[in-house]
Amino acid sequence: MIAFEQIYKTYPGGTEAVRNLTLEVAEGETLVLLGTSGSGKTTTMKMVNRLIEPTSGRILIDGQDIMDQDPIELRRRIGYAIQHIGLFPHMSVAENIAVVPKLLQWSQSRIDERINQLLKMVGLEPDEFGDRFPSQLSGGQKQRVGVARALAADPPIVLMDEPFGALDPITREQLQNEFLELESVIQKTIIFVTHDVFEAVKMGDRIALLDAGELQQLASPQELVENPANKFVDQFLGQHRFQLSLLTQTVRSISIEAVRPGEEPRSRPAEYVSLRTSLVEALDIFKKTGKSILPVYKQRKYIGDLYKKELLQVITKLLGETDEGGAT
């Protein structure tokens, strides 16, 4: 668990980047720090691994004050993935992933095993990509390697600073979806920074919305969208309320109404939805494929079939509820 206790960060000259921040991140939770440029979200994240140090207050990891720990040792126990990846250009993919395990003096056999495991986990074939250099990778492939490197030493905490922000929309969505599936496998405590409210709603278990260094609301995506805490939150959500409300509703949340038992496919097909797929995404998959039924999976396990007809009925019902609430 990570606890922020009355954290302030004031830079020379008097600029107050973070003001009186108090919140907790539960073990295994993905907390999204959301806000515009200058809101304090990246500063907050960087204080966790002491790339930036707080002016006052305490940050505790499992009850221990991070300021009582050696910063180098602290950082080796925390994964870190950033927007521009930061891969070492003179190192191969395998060598980039191996950096922290080597510093921790892992055996070469253990390092090799971990590299193969992680590359497969992020969808890159070890034999094909292990010996490549960053200049030989696409943007999406580089970002996958960046995530693998952040996970290399199996850290309990991973910090992600707009990790998909520099990618084209199609690759970005693909990596977001892949990472959502990966989350349930790696079971890490994740702090994820973004300025994109749609990404925040999609990726986070909870969202901390910041403005000018102050916490405006800490809530689940659904609570944030349906019950803004103040005028700022309401304005930040803007005119996207209905689309955001559909993003907070997933196949899991409507499974009783729209998912039925079916005949299990021999293998997972190319067109499917997961329990974490949002209603917006599910509707888009139905539209693109022209199908009326899609299989539902939890990782590789078949759950049942999602019916387009029932999905449309649920969305129509939600639209009626949103209109009655006056949110559109």
Side-chain angles (χ1 to χ4, degrees):
M1 184 182 73
I2 307 169
F4 296 80
E5 296 182 350
Q6 296 180 307
I7 291 295
Y8 286 80
K9 177 60 186 178
T10 305
Y11 288 105
T15 301
E16 203 165 47
V18 177
R19 175 195 292 268
N20 196 27
L21 178 65
T22 296
L23 61 83
E24 292 184 351
V25 188
E27 184 177 351
E29 176 182 33
T30 297
L31 177 75
V32 173
L33 298 175
L34 173 66
T36 57
S37 179
S39 62
K41 56 189 186 297
T42 298
T43 299
T44 298
M45 185 203 68
K46 286 184 175 181
M47 285 192 282
V48 175
N49 63 357
R50 291 184 62 181
L51 288 177
I52 296 174
E53 296 193 347
T55 303
S56 63
R58 298 196 308 166
I59 298 175
L60 308 176
I61 295 179
D62 294 332
Q64 186 176 0
D65 193 330
I66 63 169
M67 298 306 292
D68 295 334
Q69 303 177 48
D70 178 81
I72 303 301
E73 292 300 316
L74 175 70
R75 289 169 199 152
R76 288 176 183 172
R77 298 196 304 271
I78 296 175
Y80 188 40
I82 59 176
Q83 178 174 338
H84 298 292
I85 305 123
L87 299 179
F88 298 113
H90 60 288
M91 291 185 178
S92 69
V93 165
E95 289 170 335
N96 265 282
I97 295 172
V99 168
V100 175
K102 282 186 176 180
L103 290 172
L104 295 174
Q105 299 183 334
W106 287 18
S107 68
Q108 190 58 51
S109 61
R110 185 183 177 191
I111 291 173
D112 291 341
E113 182 180 355
R114 185 63 173 161
I115 290 168
N116 289 342
Q117 178 189 33
L118 286 169
L119 284 175
K120 289 177 182 178
M121 191 184 293
V122 298
L124 299 174
E125 201 51 50
D127 291 341
E128 182 180 353
F129 289 95
D131 292 330
R132 290 191 189 184
F133 287 86
S135 61
Q136 299 172 303
L137 304 176
S138 68
Q141 289 166 348
K142 289 178 184 177
Q143 200 63 66
R144 285 181 171 89
V145 175
V147 171
R149 187 175 66 177
L151 298 172
D154 201 18
I157 296 170
V158 179
L159 308 179
M160 308 190 77
D161 191 1
E162 304 209 45
F164 312 132
L167 301 174
D168 64 86
I170 294 174
T171 305
R172 184 179 188 182
E173 182 179 6
Q174 182 183 6
L175 285 187
Q176 287 172 343
N177 291 338
E178 289 175 0
F179 191 76
L180 284 174
E181 287 200 27
L182 190 60
E183 273 184 338
S184 59
V185 176
I186 62 176
Q187 295 181 327
K188 306 296 182 185
T189 302
I190 300 169
I191 296 181
F192 189 109
V193 168
T194 184
H195 65 275
D196 185 336
V197 65
F198 291 98
E199 183 170 62
V201 163
K202 181 175 182 174
M203 303 301 292
D205 295 314
R206 286 191 302 159
I207 298 170
L209 178 57
L210 302 171
D211 179 51
E214 293 191 80
L215 180 63
Q216 301 297 314
Q217 187 167 357
L218 176 62
S220 68
Q222 187 169 0
E223 183 183 353
L224 183 81
V225 172
E226 295 181 358
N227 300 296
N230 55 41
K231 186 176 180 180
F232 171 81
V233 180
D234 190 55
Q235 290 177 337
F236 188 89
L237 297 174
Q239 301 301 310
H240 308 295
R241 189 69 51 79
F242 176 63
Q243 190 174 354
L244 287 169
S245 71
L246 290 184
L247 283 174
T248 67
Q249 298 282 343
T250 64
V251 172
R252 177 186 283 110
S253 66
I254 66 161
S255 60
I256 295 177
E257 299 169 86
V259 176
R260 303 283 180 266
E263 184 177 346
E264 183 173 356
R266 292 183 178 179
S267 61
R268 192 172 72 176
E271 297 90 13
Y272 71 95
V273 295
S274 72
L275 288 175
R276 292 195 65 165
T277 300
S278 73
L279 302 194
V280 169
E281 293 168 318
L283 194 60
D284 189 51
I285 294 170
F286 274 120
K287 182 179 179 181
K288 287 177 180 177
T289 61
K291 295 181 180 294
S292 59
I293 303 172
L294 289 169
V296 181
Y297 282 82
K298 181 179 180 181
Q299 296 177 37
R300 295 281 171 179
K301 182 182 178 183
Y302 171 74
I303 303 299
D305 291 329
L306 175 66
Y307 287 74
K308 182 179 179 181
K309 180 179 178 181
E310 277 80 357
L311 174 64
L312 289 171
Q313 289 174 347
V314 171
I315 291 175
T316 301
K317 180 182 175 183
L318 285 171
L319 179 58
E321 291 173 353
T322 306
D323 283 339
E324 289 171 11
T328 58

